[in-house]
Amino acid sequence: MMEFEVGDKVIYPNQGISVVESIAAAEGAGGTSFYRLRLLQKSTLVMVPVKKVAEVGLRPIMTDAEVEEVMDVLENDPVNEKVNWKTRYKDNSDRMKSGEPKRVATVLKGLFYLSQRKTLSFREKRMLDLAHHLTVTEIAEVAEEPLDAVETKVIEVLQRSRNGQLGLTPAEDQKASSAATSVVTHAPKRRRRKVRARRTARPVSISINRY
């Protein structure tokens, strides 16, 4: 069973980066211990039973290698844009609920591609924005890069991949890239709450600039 300590940064599916603020000890022989999490996006608290971590999908923040895998998905994985709406929405909902980085990145890429050729429904637009937010904020945290820089790089990678699939000319590519920045709605800026995290300084080992 996966275990966390106070100060660990973890990912709560569909909610993003959270911090383990405390661990409530079990009371009595049949008591249940809980992780008390602070969801940084909403600055709210949730309690997750320790024994249900796997069921909830709580996981550690990505490793450097997993960030590389996510960027590879965004740039190189193929996209089937001909799936009907009902099947696509169900599959994407399952991917988002899993909280797995590469599956969330698949949702981001697929809906981004789709948004380039037609207007998304309200629900799919919300899903695109959430997939974008979850992917960008976690990459920025792991890579120790500014959020705005990661947002820009992710959009560039998605657009370059899309333009390559369409076989656009350089002029068409530049025009499409300029328009792409308005596709994804950036999440509103939120006041950061200082949390003491159990993290030691380390050199940055990921360079998103190579993508």
Side-chain angles (χ1 to χ4, degrees):
M1 181 176 66
M2 190 173 298
E3 296 183 353
F4 303 105
E5 297 180 14
V6 173
D8 284 350
K9 288 187 177 180
V10 297
I11 301 298
Y12 194 105
N14 271 338
Q15 299 295 331
I17 301 173
S18 307
V19 175
V20 179
E21 290 202 335
S22 63
I23 303 173
E27 296 182 3
T32 301
S33 296
F34 290 84
Y35 289 118
R36 184 173 181 264
L37 306 177
R38 172 75 62 178
L39 305 179
L40 297 188
Q41 180 184 359
K42 299 179 180 179
S43 193
T44 56
L45 293 171
V46 295
M47 302 289 284
V48 177
V50 172
K51 64 183 181 181
K52 290 192 176 182
V53 163
E55 182 180 332
V56 170
L58 202 66
R59 64 171 174 82
I61 201 164
M62 279 192 284
T63 63
D64 294 3
E66 287 171 325
V67 170
E68 299 285 359
E69 291 173 358
V70 165
M71 295 299 291
D72 185 64
V73 167
L74 296 179
E75 183 157 32
N76 299 312
D77 273 20
V79 174
N80 181 2
E81 299 178 69
K82 298 181 180 180
V83 179
N84 67 68
W85 184 90
K86 185 175 181 180
T87 299
R88 180 177 66 245
Y89 190 79
K90 181 183 181 303
D91 289 346
N92 283 340
S93 294
D94 290 342
R95 293 182 182 112
M96 294 297 292
K97 289 175 183 176
S98 76
E100 296 176 15
K102 290 198 293 183
R103 299 190 73 191
V104 173
T106 297
V107 175
L108 170 57
K109 183 168 188 175
L111 291 181
F112 179 87
Y113 270 39
L114 188 63
S115 71
Q116 297 286 284
R117 65 180 177 85
K118 74 174 193 176
T119 301
L120 298 180
S121 68
F122 176 73
R123 286 197 290 177
E124 286 199 311
K125 180 62 168 62
R126 285 184 60 188
M127 188 178 288
L128 169 58
D129 289 345
L130 180 59
H132 171 260
H133 171 76
L134 295 176
T135 299
V136 166
T137 53
E138 190 172 359
I139 290 175
E141 176 67 28
V142 179
E144 298 179 351
E145 298 268 6
L147 186 62
D148 290 348
V150 176
E151 285 184 322
T152 299
K153 184 58 62 175
V154 164
I155 293 297
E156 287 177 353
V157 168
L158 288 168
Q159 192 61 48
R160 184 167 64 245
S161 178
R162 172 67 170 159
N163 294 349
Q165 176 176 299
L166 294 176
L168 300 184
T169 65
E172 291 170 331
D173 179 279
Q174 183 176 7
K175 181 179 179 180
S177 297
S178 298
T181 56
S182 63
V183 171
V184 178
T185 301
H186 297 287
K189 302 296 182 182
R190 298 179 182 274
R191 186 173 59 185
R192 289 184 175 272
R193 179 179 182 274
K194 291 184 178 180
V195 179
R196 291 186 178 180
R198 186 177 60 81
R199 183 174 185 177
T200 57
R202 62 176 176 81
V204 178
S205 58
I206 300 171
S207 176
I208 63 170
N209 293 321
R210 74 182 183 85
Y211 289 94

